[in-house]
Amino acid sequence: MVDTLYIEREVAEHKITQRVLKRYPNAQQVSIEQYGEVFNPAAQNFRSQKRNPALILARKTGQRIMPAPEEYEIGGDQNYYFSHMLNCVYDCRYCFLQGMYRSANYLLFVNYDEFADDLIEHVATNGATEPWYFSGYDCDSLAFEPVTGFAEYFLDVFARKDMARSTLELRTKSTQIRSLERRQAMSNVVVAFSLNPQSVVADVEKGTPSLDKRIKAIQRLQQAGWRIGLRFDPIVWHDDFERDYREFFARVFAELDSAKIDSITLGAVRLPKTFHKNMVKLFPEHWLFKAGMTQREQGMVGYQSSLEERLLEICQQQIAEHYKHPVHSYPIASVSE
Amino acid sequence: MCEAQPLIKRLNLLHQVSAHGFRLYYSAEQQTALLVTGCGRNAMAAGLMWARSCFVSINVFINVGSAGHGSFSLGECVLINKVSEHSSGKTYYPPILSKWGQKFSMLQTVDKPSDNYHQSLAYDMEASAFLSTARRLVNAEQAQVIKVISDNPANDYRQLNAAKLTELIDENCATIIEFSRQQTELLTESDVAVDEAMLEKMHAHWHITVSQHQQLLTLLSSKAVLQQFALTQEPEWQSFSKVKHYMAELQTWLLDCAPRLSVPSKSKVRS
């Protein structure tokens, strides 16, 4: 539920803005000139705002398609991401957004049409054979779908003939899959689900669908022919780690069709040092930012290297019992400067 | 002062201190204080800084006062969601987290009273200075503006008197106090208490540099969070001849504290 909408004057009449306004007829509307007035001021507390985030509707100017971070490079010969939204409706304690942004307000860029133009031009001109575009870096790709209609819009874009050699990856924890189910599965779209054992979901992935519901959503998409990615990232160390993850992997691979899994990636909790510092300030009482954590190479904070290595190895071995294809693993040591 | 009286009474603010032309009323337990600044931006900025120096622990600030409005009725209590300062064009958006069952309004802070009302705006003479100053002291969420409508195009400000202002605020005291309670509840920050007495003993026991003190605080704070998960006895600090040796040992001990999830997996519940 959103109580407050901040609306850039420039996009007040935009089609997507009007769609969102219909969704929140009782929300107070505040007109703003530029989203930075609300989103960027220094003296804001992310944790406090997360209790009742406002929704900011704005136009994304400047560069809209960015080179993908290394962890995302599992796709094509060139990898990019684009963010139609900053901040997430979920409240995962490990999420780097808490350390990156001052505001917990949802910032939705409504100029989908300009994103689409940029994507079409990018595919035509960037020279890549199979460019890969990720959504879900700065927000969950599907969690806000009933409000934003993001997937509905961009699936149409990637369904164009001139976009056929490009791939869209929607990264999500959400079960809002109706906009995908309403259409034929697309060969150039991968729906990548982040998964964790239910004990981890319940403890540190506040507000997200249960593992059970995520598996059911994936099953439905697999049956409909959609390409599925699994992201076991971040795995979270705890006292029953080995048993919890063994049972978890056994369940995931028993209930899903392994032959129809497009790719699997694996990574442990890791954060840039500055984000980690901000998050400790926000949640000084939370064990996640302290347990097994240490300063690592490349300006990162994560599990001490021997622990990270052990956790990733355990998961690799457990996955290998069920899934015979390579798993892309991302230890901190693999991050280049 | 006429606007302050009803709140002073309802909040039971029996004590007062005065300085620099300001009066500050406060409760016996010093959890709530009310500052009477008088009119205008300068008075607001100076008064707020002084009040903060008197009560450093207060972390929720609310500017309560009367305001004109282009279309709202007299006595309506509004929470302000946008403040623009007429003279500078500066704009502030107080992030609204608490539930508010009354109306919202945008507000313009002007330098002198006017009967030139815009339909959708409230008018006052202090709010922009309040927000600008408060944001130097606390986060944006912790500073809010509530105004009771005292004049509008049909009842201009010249008709106002002290008794009427007191009455208007009095009628809205319950709303204002409830909002203040919610804000305080929402914005209480978590902290990890480090054992200060032990830290003092450590300082007496070892020579600790400033940077070591910081590192030690970080480690002790981690210890406070993780010791619930410890499988082995934590290192006895008194047995170390130097603080750096203790910190190294504590670091190793902390790294072995595997957290227990608060929601166990099904198999654990069964067992």
Side-chain angles (χ1 to χ4, degrees), chain A residues 28 31 43 203 239-240 243, chain B residues 81-82 140-141 259-260 262 268:
Chain A
Q28 54 155 335
S31 174
D203 206 300
D239 62 346
D240 266 332
R243 184 169 63 172
Chain B
N81 53 25
K82 177 178 180 176
E141 302 81 26
R260 246 182 332 275
S262 56
K268 276 185 274 181

Side-chain angles (χ1 to χ4, degrees), chain A residues 21-41:
Chain A
L21 294 185
K22 273 190 200 147
R23 187 87 194 180
Y24 299 113
N26 299 321
Q28 54 155 335
Q29 297 175 21
V30 184
S31 174
I32 59 175
E33 289 303 314
Q34 212 271 334
Y35 72 81
E37 294 174 296
V38 179
F39 197 73
N40 294 341

